[in-house]
């Protein structure tokens, strides 16, 4: 049997370059490249291997500025490619690797594939403790990388070269499984990376991993079809699984044929164009009036590809019909069975096709219900237009109106990216998209700092696509460094930096539970009070972004903003538009609720009042 003598790191590079995925006859590389920040833990191992073999095998190396950011870029790439391709990410021993922990959780919570290659202690234990190694007093085989275990869908540590032969195929299997995918972590001790081994040549043969489309069980399809036939007020809630299965056309046809309105989650927005007659907007805590009213009276909820998180269910207050039933369509049984639903475990597209066939001869919902849906949609669309429309007479620009203007200039097919703060809720309600890849929100972990790195990922996934990154000033301050990476790579996207000098979302939440604003605004510490409630900080975000190589605009009015947007759209490279907005002018909640506990005892009257309102909402929660 022919063999090749390579180091563990060299074998890893060769192996990753040979892996591909295929679905519906389309084939692509599984690992697009490697994001790498080198330190003593990986520069002589993986660093050497990537330099010697990376170009030969077509596995390029990218240099980010932050380890968390590089994983976020990989996650965004995987999301935009519908989980068919991703990146590997390597970091050094200690803090380099632990910087990836938050992003590992982001990947696993969102069911997005990414390969993590954290460096580890010496397997031979001679340089013990090696620089940056955290020692455990009783368990000498524990390192900081063990923190990846609960965050990963697959975890292993390679302490002998031969272990790679079984570990890597298993890692690829998990990365490419639509139900199991998430962060995959392969820890690489510093010395093992450089050890040589005689590898069977067949280990590096090209392999294609077929992304499976599990079909539903006919018996469950029949049960689901019976529930749909009996329902008077059915409602579909679409999630990210619809998009990952590329089931948007099947969803549109199903909803139209049977007259079932479709509600959007953060992950599922874009599955239908905003102007599709059955697309009635977002549901739940960040929902709109149309869907929240339909949800409250729905007698059947068909949840397609959604985790049914607390924002979608409005902390289990959205669905108030006393006999409401649920059908969960999901590749993951854990998600399909939520809310005591009928678990239809299947690929979203195949499930919809099977349900449509099982409903042959069924006329769908009654004309009165369809008329009600159309009326609610019309009213909601008008309300959205109202909040999107700039009103120049205001003293300060409003975030909602900025969103509307950006949407008008860039159009309904540009990809908008966001992750945290008040922006995701406003975008879910107000952004209008007509392309299934036009809405890119990371809201499973709602990780501040995701936004700009995600711009890199989407720009790499689809060069030439218009990309608009919305980021609040607080999130920008956490992870702005990847502007440098984007400039270095020659990538193009526009950043809308919304500047209200605060963590506006949490400040608003703080006020809603009766507390005065505290520690959520960008202010100086006041020498008299000892609190961070002094003068507002004067920060020059425009100068900061310009210093990192971006082209920058800082408009102070809607007219100037529109001109800046149109100019930026024609420009090249990274464009940053710093937009000052009002901290107080916020989009209201449209009959949605989110369970955030209020202090049961307080001397503050506003907190007492908020507690009474909170207890009233608790009575509406369903346990299903």
């Amino acid at each position: 049997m022919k063999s090749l003598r390579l180091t563990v790191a060299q074998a890893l590079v060769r192996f990753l370059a040979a892996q591909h995925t295929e679905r519906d006859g389309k084939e692509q590389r599984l690992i697009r490249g490697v994001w790498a920040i080198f330190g003593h833990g990986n520069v002589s191992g993986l660093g050497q291997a990537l330099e010697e073999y990376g170009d030969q095998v077509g596995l390029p190396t990218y240099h980010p500025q932050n380890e968390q950011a590089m994983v976020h870029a990989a996650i965004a790439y995987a999301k935009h490619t519908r989980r068919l391709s991703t990146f590997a990410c390597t970091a050094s021993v200690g803090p380099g690797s632990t910087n990836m922990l938050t992003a590992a959780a982001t990947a696993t919570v969102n069911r997005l594939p990414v390969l993590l290659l954290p460096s580890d202690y010496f397997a031979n234990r001679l340089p013990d403790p090696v620089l940056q190694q955290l020692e455990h007093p009783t368990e000498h085989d524990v390192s900081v990388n063990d923190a990846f275990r609960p965050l990963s869908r697959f975890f292993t540590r390679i302490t002998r070269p031969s272990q790679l032969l079984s570990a890597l195929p298993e890692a690829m299997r998990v990365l490419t499984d639509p139900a199991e995918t998430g962060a995959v972590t392969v820890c690489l001790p510093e010395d093992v990376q450089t050890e040589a081994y005689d590898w069977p040549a067949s280990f590096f043969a090209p392999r294609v991993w077929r992304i499976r489309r599990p079909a539903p069980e006919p018996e469950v399809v029949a049960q689901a079809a019976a529930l749909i036939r009996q329902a008077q007020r059915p409602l579909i809630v679409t999630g990210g699984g619809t998009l990952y299965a590329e089931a948007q056309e099947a969803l549109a046809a199903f909803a139209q044929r049977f007259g079932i309105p479709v509600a959007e989650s953060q992950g599922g927005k874009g599955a239908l164009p905003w102007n599709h007659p059955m697309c009635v907007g977002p549901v739940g805590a960040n929902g709109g009036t149309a869907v929240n009213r339909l949800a409250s009276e729905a007698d059947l909820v068909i949840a397609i590809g959604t985790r049914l998180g607390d924002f979608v269910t409005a902390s289990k207050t959205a669905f108030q019909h006393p006999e409401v039933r649920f059908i969960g369509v999901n590749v993951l049984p854990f998600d399909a069975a939520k809310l005591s639903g009928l678990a239809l475990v299947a690929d979203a597209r195949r499930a919809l096709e099977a349900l449509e066939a099982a409903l042959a001869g069924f006329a769908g919902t009654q004309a009165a219900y369809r008329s009600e849906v159309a009326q609610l949609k019309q009213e909601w669309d008008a309300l959205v237009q109202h909040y999107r429309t700039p009103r120049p007479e205001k003293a300060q620009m409003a975030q909602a109106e900025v969103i509307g203007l950006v949407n008008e200039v860039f159009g309904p097919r540009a990809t908008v990216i966001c992750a945290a703060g008040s922006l995701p809720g406003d975008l879910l309600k107000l952004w209008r998209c007509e392309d299934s890849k036009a809405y890119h929100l990371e809201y499973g972990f709602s990780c501040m700092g995701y936004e700009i790195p995600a711009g890199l990922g989407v720009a790499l996934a689809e060069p030439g696509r218009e990309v608009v990154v919305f980021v609040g000033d607080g999130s920008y301050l956490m992870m702005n460094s990847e502007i440098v990476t984007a400039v270095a790579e020659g990538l193009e996207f526009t950043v809308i930096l919304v500047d209200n000098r605060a963590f506006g979302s949490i400040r608003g939440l703080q006020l809603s539970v009766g507390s005065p604003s505290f520690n959520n605004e960008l202010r100086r510490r006041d020498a008299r009070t000892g609190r961070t409630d002094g003068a507002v900080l004067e920060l020059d975000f425009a100068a900061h972004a310009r210093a990192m190589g971006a082209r920058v605009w800082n408009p102070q009015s809607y007219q100037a903003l529109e001109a800046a947007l149109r100019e930026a759209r024609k420009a090249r490279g990274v464009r940053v538009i710093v937009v000052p907005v009002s901290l107080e002018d916020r989009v209201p909640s449209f009959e949605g609720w989110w369970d955030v506990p209020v202090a049961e005892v307080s001397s503050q009257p506003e907190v007492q009042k908020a507690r009474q309102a909170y207890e009233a909402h608790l009575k509406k929660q369903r346990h299903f």
Side-chain angles (χ1 to χ4, degrees):
M1 183 175 64
K2 185 179 179 181
S3 64
L4 298 174
R5 189 161 182 81
L6 300 165
T7 68
V8 166
Q10 292 163 0
L12 175 62
V13 169
R14 294 280 293 270
F15 178 89
L16 293 181
Q19 309 305 303
H20 298 77
T21 63
E22 177 271 323
R23 188 175 67 184
D24 301 336
K26 299 176 182 177
E27 187 177 311
Q28 51 273 307
R29 277 190 179 242
L30 170 56
I31 305 298
R32 163 71 165 74
V34 181
W35 287 97
I37 293 183
F38 296 129
H40 69 277
N42 61 350
V43 70
S44 63
L46 263 175
Q48 186 280 326
L50 287 165
E51 193 284 326
E52 182 175 356
Y53 290 103
D55 292 340
Q56 290 184 30
V57 297
L59 199 69
T61 303
Y62 296 83
H63 176 73
Q65 315 309 311
N66 181 287
E67 290 90 353
Q68 182 184 140
M70 70 182 179
V71 183
H72 282 156
I75 293 168
Y77 181 92
K79 182 178 177 72
H80 197 76
T81 60
R82 301 296 193 232
R83 305 193 296 198
L84 300 175
S85 184
T86 187
F87 278 85
C89 299
T90 175
S92 189
V93 174
S97 290
T98 56
N99 278 350
M100 298 194 294
L101 288 168
T102 296
T106 304
T108 297
V109 166
N110 287 284
R111 280 63 159 167
L112 289 167
V114 63
L115 177 61
L116 306 179
L117 304 171
S119 303
D120 220 322
Y121 54 48
F122 272 65
N124 64 25
R125 309 286 176 82
L126 292 177
D128 190 38
V130 69
L131 176 66
Q132 298 179 315
Q133 179 182 341
L134 176 67
E135 295 177 275
H136 193 286
T138 60
E139 298 182 58
H140 288 188
D141 61 345
V142 168
S143 80
V144 294
N145 288 346
D146 286 274
F148 283 99
R149 290 181 184 271
L151 308 178
S152 304
R153 296 293 288 170
F154 175 82
F155 175 95
T156 190
R157 178 178 285 115
I158 305 300
T159 57
R160 300 180 65 176
S162 60
Q163 293 170 353
L164 209 63
L165 292 167
S166 58
L168 284 183
E170 180 64 6
M172 300 302 107
R173 184 194 69 77
V174 175
L175 282 174
T176 57
D177 189 290
E180 293 191 44
T181 196
V184 167
T185 303
V186 179
C187 302
L188 298 170
E190 186 174 343
D191 54 340
V192 174
Q193 291 180 47
T194 65
E195 291 178 11
Y197 185 77
D198 293 318
W199 307 90
S202 59
F203 186 56
F204 308 110
R207 178 164 183 177
V208 178
W209 299 83
R210 188 174 184 281
I211 307 298
R212 62 189 180 93
R213 285 191 179 276
E217 295 178 79
E219 296 84 354
V220 183
V221 171
Q223 285 181 274
L227 289 175
I228 294 170
R229 288 176 183 273
Q230 295 165 10
Q232 298 299 307
R233 302 182 63 85
L235 175 69
I236 293 171
V237 177
T238 182
T242 303
L243 296 171
Y244 297 137
E246 297 181 313
Q248 55 268 21
E249 291 183 8
L251 174 62
F254 185 87
Q256 184 78 25
R257 177 175 176 181
F258 299 113
I260 304 176
V262 176
E264 302 166 316
S265 68
Q266 287 282 11
K269 186 177 174 70
L272 295 185
W274 74 272
N275 51 6
H276 186 282
M278 302 315 295
C279 180
V280 286
V283 65
N286 276 337
T289 52
V291 176
N292 281 344
R293 291 174 186 177
L294 290 169
S296 68
E297 298 182 18
D299 58 359
L300 177 67
V301 177
I302 308 167
I304 304 177
T306 171
R307 298 187 307 127
L308 290 172
D310 66 339
F311 264 72
V312 168
T313 68
S315 299
K316 295 193 172 76
T317 64
F319 310 110
Q320 288 292 309
H321 192 289
E323 297 179 7
V324 63
R325 300 289 299 275
F326 294 85
I327 299 171
V329 178
N330 209 294
V331 290
L332 187 63
F334 174 77
D335 285 330
K338 286 179 177 174
L339 302 186
S340 304
L342 174 65
L344 186 59
V345 180
D347 170 84
R349 193 167 83 189
R350 287 195 165 174
L352 284 165
E353 291 169 348
L355 282 171
E356 185 163 358
L359 290 167
F362 176 53
T365 57
Q366 298 295 315
Y369 184 56
R370 297 188 190 211
S371 178
E372 178 187 348
V373 168
Q375 180 63 33
L376 285 170
K377 175 178 172 55
Q378 183 180 14
E379 292 171 1
W380 171 243
D381 287 347
L383 195 57
V384 168
Q385 188 60 39
H386 167 75
Y387 281 100
R388 283 166 49 101
T389 302
R391 283 161 282 177
E393 68 276 9
K394 289 185 176 182
Q396 291 180 288
M397 287 187 280
Q399 180 169 285
E401 295 159 22
V402 170
I403 288 171
L405 190 52
V406 175
N407 199 178
E408 288 296 324
V409 172
F410 277 85
R413 297 185 178 275
T415 296
V416 64
I417 297 173
C418 195
S422 60
L423 279 165
D426 288 358
L427 287 164
L428 180 63
K429 291 187 275 272
L430 305 178
W431 190 265
R432 289 174 165 172
C433 48
E434 298 177 13
D435 181 280
S436 64
K437 289 189 175 182
Y439 193 77
H440 183 120
L441 265 282
E442 187 290 290
Y443 210 62
F445 212 45
S446 188
C447 187
M448 294 180 72
Y450 173 85
E451 299 92 341
I452 294 174
L456 273 71
V458 175
L460 285 169
E462 191 177 348
R465 173 174 277 269
E466 287 192 294
V467 178
V468 180
V469 175
F470 268 94
V471 61
D473 48 8
S475 200
Y476 175 85
L477 288 170
M478 287 191 178
M479 194 74 70
N480 51 63
S481 58
E482 300 316 305
I483 288 177
V484 174
T485 307
V487 170
E489 291 291 342
L491 300 176
E492 298 191 352
F493 51 84
T494 301
V495 177
I496 309 297
L497 200 174
V498 178
D499 176 14
N500 59 18
R501 301 299 162 101
F503 282 10
S505 173
I506 297 305
R507 178 183 178 274
L509 182 61
Q510 189 173 54
L511 295 174
S512 75
V513 299
S515 175
S517 179
F518 172 65
N519 207 44
N520 274 317
E521 298 181 40
L522 296 177
R523 293 179 176 271
R524 297 182 183 276
R525 185 171 298 279
D526 192 304
R528 296 169 299 170
T529 65
R531 293 189 174 197
T532 53
D533 57 3
V536 175
L537 289 173
E538 294 299 323
L539 304 176
D540 194 340
F541 290 113
H544 183 265
R546 189 176 293 112
M548 289 189 289
R551 292 198 60 182
V552 181
W553 293 260
N554 191 192
Q556 302 297 307
S557 67
Y558 290 117
Q559 184 177 10
L561 173 58
E562 182 174 3
L565 290 168
R566 296 193 183 282
E567 188 177 340
R569 194 179 182 194
K570 296 177 182 178
R572 305 297 300 273
V574 181
R575 294 88 69 178
V576 176
I577 303 176
V578 182
V579 188
V581 299
S582 168
L583 182 56
E584 308 296 341
D585 195 342
R586 295 166 57 87
V587 177
S589 172
F590 295 102
E591 302 173 17
W593 182 70
W594 187 33
D595 189 347
V596 177
V598 181
E600 192 169 0
V601 177
S602 173
S603 62
Q604 296 175 310
E606 289 300 313
V607 174
Q608 296 169 10
K609 182 180 177 181
R611 177 68 193 190
Q612 291 176 355
Y614 175 70
E615 290 177 354
H617 275 105
L618 287 179
K619 294 176 182 178
K620 298 180 180 180
Q621 282 187 312
R622 302 284 302 278
H623 295 273
F624 300 104

